Every structure is written in structure tokens, then in C-alpha cells.
């Protein structure tokens, strides 16, 4: 099984963030924030982050427009919540996701990055990680230097051990916040 990683910057310093990436041998950082800016931590604004990572030997790729957690298409929402089952069916998501599959096939050391530091609260696990599992690819969520949680572990935390499927075999994940 191939492995991709995920990481959230949360309130980490850029040095802590880099140390976590290096501890897993990450070479490519894929930014999946729809809005790649941080009002609380400007080191993680897209331009600053890209420049810093490139200086330090990482490849920065922005993909928030295809596999980001806040799609602009209103068809991706149910009662104001992002409906990940709907997002998965969108051409833009399929296009971005195909790029992740290619990275996994090539064996690249990739981390998908968003703002949320707790993977069980982020679309990295509920959308991207779940879809990767369907394709036989494991997503390990970086939670510290040399520390990660498997996709299965994160989903067990999210569902309190109840699993990820309904009685009818479909996932029911929506965003935790309402967006209007």
C-alpha cells in the first residue's frame, strides 16, 4: 500500500512545521487550503510559505482550487454544510485527486497541508484520506515530530469507534461548520 501524508499548520512555528515534515522525509508539500492565508500566522501565507519552503529544499504545490475544503460551487453543500460525498463527484475534485494518485504511484514523499492541526476535524481526513483509502493508499496524518496517526485511527477518533459507513454503505461526512 502506498502512503501519503497530511499535516496541519495550526499555531506551529514555521520551524516546528519544517521539523515535522523533515522527520517523515517529506519533499513535496501540497497546500489544500482553499484560501491559502493565515491571519494568525503570516508565515503560512501562500507566498511566504512557498518562498521559504523552496529555499529549504521542498517543492510547494497549490491545489486548494481542486481538492480544497471550501469549494465555491453551491452544489457541494447540503443545508449550509459542505457535503463531501457531493464534492467527490465534482470534476474539479476528480482532477486534483488524480494528481494525488499519480504522486502515490510515483512513490513521491508528499504531505497534503491545511490549517487545521487536528486531522479528525479537517477535510484532509474526511474527504481526501477516505477517498485515498478507496484506492488502496494510506494517509498518515503527521501530529508531531516522528509521530503520525493512520487514516483508520483518525476515523475511529472522529466516529468514536463507530466506523465510517451508514447502514446503506455510504459515508455521511459533512463539514463541522456551516457556510452560507
Amino acid at each position: 500500500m502506498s502512503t501519503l501524508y497530511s499535516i496541519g499548520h495550526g499555531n506551529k512555528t514555521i520551524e516546528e512545521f519544517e521539523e515535522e515534515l523533515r522527520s517523515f522525509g517529506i519533499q513535496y508539500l501540497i497546500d489544500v487550503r482553499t484560501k491559502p492565508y493565515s491571519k494568525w500566522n503570516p508565515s503560512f501565507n501562500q507566498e511566504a510559505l512557498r518562498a521559504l519552503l523552496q529555499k529549504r529544499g521542498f517543492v510547494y504545490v497549490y491545489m486548494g482550487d481542486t481538492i480544497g475544503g471550501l469549494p465555491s460551487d453551491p452544489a457541494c453543500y447540503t443545508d449550509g454544510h459542505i457535503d463531501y460525498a457531493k464534492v467527490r463527484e465534482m470534476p474539479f475534485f476528480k482532477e486534483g485527486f488524480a494528481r494525488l494518485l499519480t504522486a502515490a504511484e510515483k512513490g513521491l514523499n508528499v504531505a497534503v497541508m491545511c490549517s487545521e492541526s487536528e486531522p479528525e476535524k479537517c477535510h484532509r481526513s474526511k474527504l481526501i484520506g477516505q477517498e485515498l483509502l478507496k484506492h488502496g493508499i494510506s494517509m498518515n496524518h503527521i501530529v508531531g515530530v516522528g509521530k503520525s496517526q493512520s487514516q483508520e485511527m483518525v476515523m475511529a477518533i472522529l466516529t468514536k469507534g463507530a466506523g465510517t459507513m451508514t447502514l446503506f454503505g455510504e459515508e455521511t461526512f459533512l463539514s463541522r461548520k456551516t457556510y452560507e
Side-chain angles (χ1 to χ4, degrees), residues 5-78:
Y5 292 88
S6 96
I7 189 168
H9 70 73
N11 61 3
K12 299 171 189 166
T13 66
I14 196 70
E15 292 78 18
E16 292 167 327
F17 183 77
E18 180 183 359
E19 187 177 2
E20 289 180 5
L21 291 174
R22 290 202 186 282
S23 74
F24 286 91
I26 302 301
Q27 298 167 308
Y28 297 85
L29 184 75
I30 299 176
D31 189 343
V32 297
R33 297 174 296 168
T34 305
K35 298 173 184 171
Y37 301 96
S38 172
K39 63 181 168 182
W40 308 115
N41 200 340
S43 297
F44 290 95
N45 288 345
Q46 184 178 31
E47 296 81 13
L49 183 61
R50 174 186 286 127
L52 181 73
L53 290 175
Q54 287 176 342
K55 281 184 196 172
R56 297 187 179 176
F58 296 94
V59 176
Y60 172 93
V61 178
Y62 177 72
M63 291 179 56
D65 55 344
T66 58
I67 57 175
L70 296 171
S72 60
D73 188 334
C76 296
Y77 294 77
T78 299

Side-chain angles (χ1 to χ4, degrees), residues 8-168:
H9 70 73
N11 61 3
K12 299 171 189 166
T13 66
I14 196 70
E15 292 78 18
E16 292 167 327
F17 183 77
E18 180 183 359
E19 187 177 2
E20 289 180 5
L21 291 174
R22 290 202 186 282
S23 74
F24 286 91
I26 302 301
Q27 298 167 308
Y28 297 85
L29 184 75
I30 299 176
D31 189 343
V32 297
R33 297 174 296 168
T34 305
K35 298 173 184 171
Y37 301 96
S38 172
K39 63 181 168 182
W40 308 115
N41 200 340
S43 297
F44 290 95
N45 288 345
Q46 184 178 31
E47 296 81 13
L49 183 61
R50 174 186 286 127
L52 181 73
L53 290 175
Q54 287 176 342
K55 281 184 196 172
R56 297 187 179 176
F58 296 94
V59 176
Y60 172 93
V61 178
Y62 177 72
M63 291 179 56
D65 55 344
T66 58
I67 57 175
L70 296 171
S72 60
D73 188 334
C76 296
Y77 294 77
T78 299
D79 297 327
H81 293 272
I82 302 158
D83 187 327
Y84 297 125
K86 291 178 178 179
V87 174
R88 262 193 294 280
E89 298 305 315
M90 295 295 181
F92 61 83
F93 179 82
K94 290 181 180 185
E95 175 188 320
F97 189 76
R99 291 178 66 193
L100 285 184
L101 294 177
T102 299
E105 287 170 10
K106 290 182 176 182
L108 301 177
N109 282 345
V110 170
V112 172
M113 181 201 81
C114 200
S115 302
E116 179 58 61
S117 58
E118 297 177 60
E120 67 274 12
K121 294 181 178 177
C122 187
H123 82 289
R124 297 186 324 266
S125 62
K126 294 184 248 181
L127 175 61
I128 299 169
Q130 286 299 98
E131 194 65 13
L132 286 169
L133 273 181
K134 293 177 186 175
H135 289 82
I137 300 168
S138 173
M139 179 167 272
N140 286 334
H141 302 276
I142 299 171
V143 294
V145 174
K147 297 178 184 174
S148 68
Q149 296 174 331
S150 69
Q151 176 66 19
E152 295 84 354
M153 182 185 300
V154 168
M155 296 315 292
I157 292 167
L158 176 65
T159 64
K160 297 176 178 43
T164 62
M165 305 301 263
T166 67
L167 289 174
F168 304 105

